[in-house]
Amino acid sequence: MSKQAKATTGGDHFTRWLVIGMVALVVVTGVIFSIMSSSTKANESFAALKGYKLGDSVAASVNPAAGFGLTLNPGAPVTIDLWEDPQCPVCRTFETSIGAYIDTMVRTKKATVVYHLLSFLGPESVRAANALMCSADEGHYLDFHQAVYIVQPALENSGFFSNDNLVKIGDHIGLKSKTFTDCLTKGSKLELVKAHADSMPTYKVSGTPTVFINGKLWERTSNGFDLNEFRLAVEAG
Amino acid sequence: MKALNLKYQGILTLISRLVVGAVLLIAGGLKAFVPAEAASAVSAYKILPTQIAHIVGYALPWLEIAIALLLIIGISIRMAAIVAGGIMILFIGAIASVWVRGLLIDCGCFGGGGVIDLSKAAAVHRTYALEIARDCGLALMSLYLYFFPYGLLSVEKSALPNEEI
């Protein structure tokens, strides 16, 4: 055993370095290829936002009494509390089937909607939640929120929700004011993001999406998210 | 035992090279062309800061492929075996760490209902154990290759004539 081991110690140094160099070359080329293909993929997903029309401005406020939730259209007879993580794929499913209805309820002033932005899926959720809160200051929470779910990648923490890409999302939907991009890149809302996360236990929320209608947990009976079922629950209060 | 090893060393080395090489080649090949998936998978371990996790996710598949080719063709086997063994030890450590921390890393989200299914957790834990066992086996084969790099069907030959071995 030791004899064979010894035999190689005086091996050809040139060959060894050549092999190390080749391996390094393969790895570096591969990394460059991967980074490029990821960014191409991200840009492709922005195509889905083409022609997006920014809606009317909707004021949003932070309500400390409701777990610091972002409150849209306060004072309506029905209050809907939504708990979601911007990276959660099931929240995207929820948004796809019920999002438009919720937006209409806010815009027609029929419901108060409180958004609780969780970020337990990782640092990219934190960044996206920060960006969403910045968009609320601009009065375009609903627009940015919709856009984030339109482009949400299938995989969590794959590098997609970088501040650069979040600024690009704003760009594509026409939300490009300096206050917005500054707030986004500086992470001005990170404390609020943390406050939302910290309020989870108070409301006994352990997952997303979680919905409360007038403070009562909405327990869906169907497998997916059924718009009619949700609408009836909201109308019943 | 020693005599037995000497008799079959050539074939054992070849088998180890092919097994470790094939596993790395398949594992690397599956991940190399889906970089987002690889990056996401590494960050799911929550060991490295995301930025670094992404670079590792991009680089590791290509390193695996390069090392696999060296092992299969039979060039710089000892060096390749060290790297392969190192990769396996990293994997064992990473899996053990998520296991200890109780992360269920293949589920990502809490799913539709919001509660973690305990029967699923048991299945995930069994998977962790199997993965660690598999990687231990591969690490042992790499160790064998470190001590006996020269066998059958290899480009690189021992510097010593066979009868001295």
Side-chain angles (χ1 to χ4, degrees), chain B residues 111-151:
Chain B
V115 187
I116 298 177
D117 189 350
L118 281 179
S119 63
K120 198 175 164 195
V124 173
H125 288 163
R126 198 167 55 237
T127 316
Y128 289 163
L130 286 174
E131 281 170 354
I132 289 180
R134 179 199 63 200
D135 291 346
C136 281
L138 292 169
L140 285 176
M141 283 181 159
S142 306
L143 189 70
Y144 187 80
L145 285 176
Y146 174 80
F147 288 116
F148 304 99
Y150 306 112

Side-chain angles (χ1 to χ4, degrees), chain B residues 9-155:
Chain B
Q9 185 262 315
I11 188 90
L12 283 175
T13 292
L14 177 66
I15 291 172
S16 301
R17 267 171 45 214
L18 292 182
V19 170
V20 179
V23 170
L24 285 177
L25 189 65
I26 294 166
L30 287 176
K31 288 178 288 188
F33 296 99
V34 283
E37 208 167 300
S40 170
V42 176
S43 48
Y45 283 84
K46 293 182 181 167
I47 294 171
L48 301 167
T50 355
Q51 224 94 21
I52 298 171
H54 290 158
I55 295 295
V56 172
Y58 292 151
L60 200 57
W62 297 100
L63 182 66
E64 287 174 342
I65 290 173
I67 294 302
L69 292 178
L70 290 180
L71 286 175
I72 292 169
I73 302 168
I75 302 173
S76 295
I77 300 166
R78 172 167 287 165
M79 192 178 74
I82 294 173
V83 179
I87 291 175
M88 292 309 156
I89 290 169
L90 281 184
F91 286 168
I92 293 167
I95 297 167
S97 121
V98 288
W99 196 354
V100 167
R101 285 180 291 158
L103 294 177
L104 301 176
I105 58 164
D106 78 336
C107 78
C109 196
F110 288 86
V115 187
I116 298 177
D117 189 350
L118 281 179
S119 63
K120 198 175 164 195
V124 173
H125 288 163
R126 198 167 55 237
T127 316
Y128 289 163
L130 286 174
E131 281 170 354
I132 289 180
R134 179 199 63 200
D135 291 346
C136 281
L138 292 169
L140 285 176
M141 283 181 159
S142 306
L143 189 70
Y144 187 80
L145 285 176
Y146 174 80
F147 288 116
F148 304 99
Y150 306 112
L152 303 174
L153 296 175
S154 159
V155 170

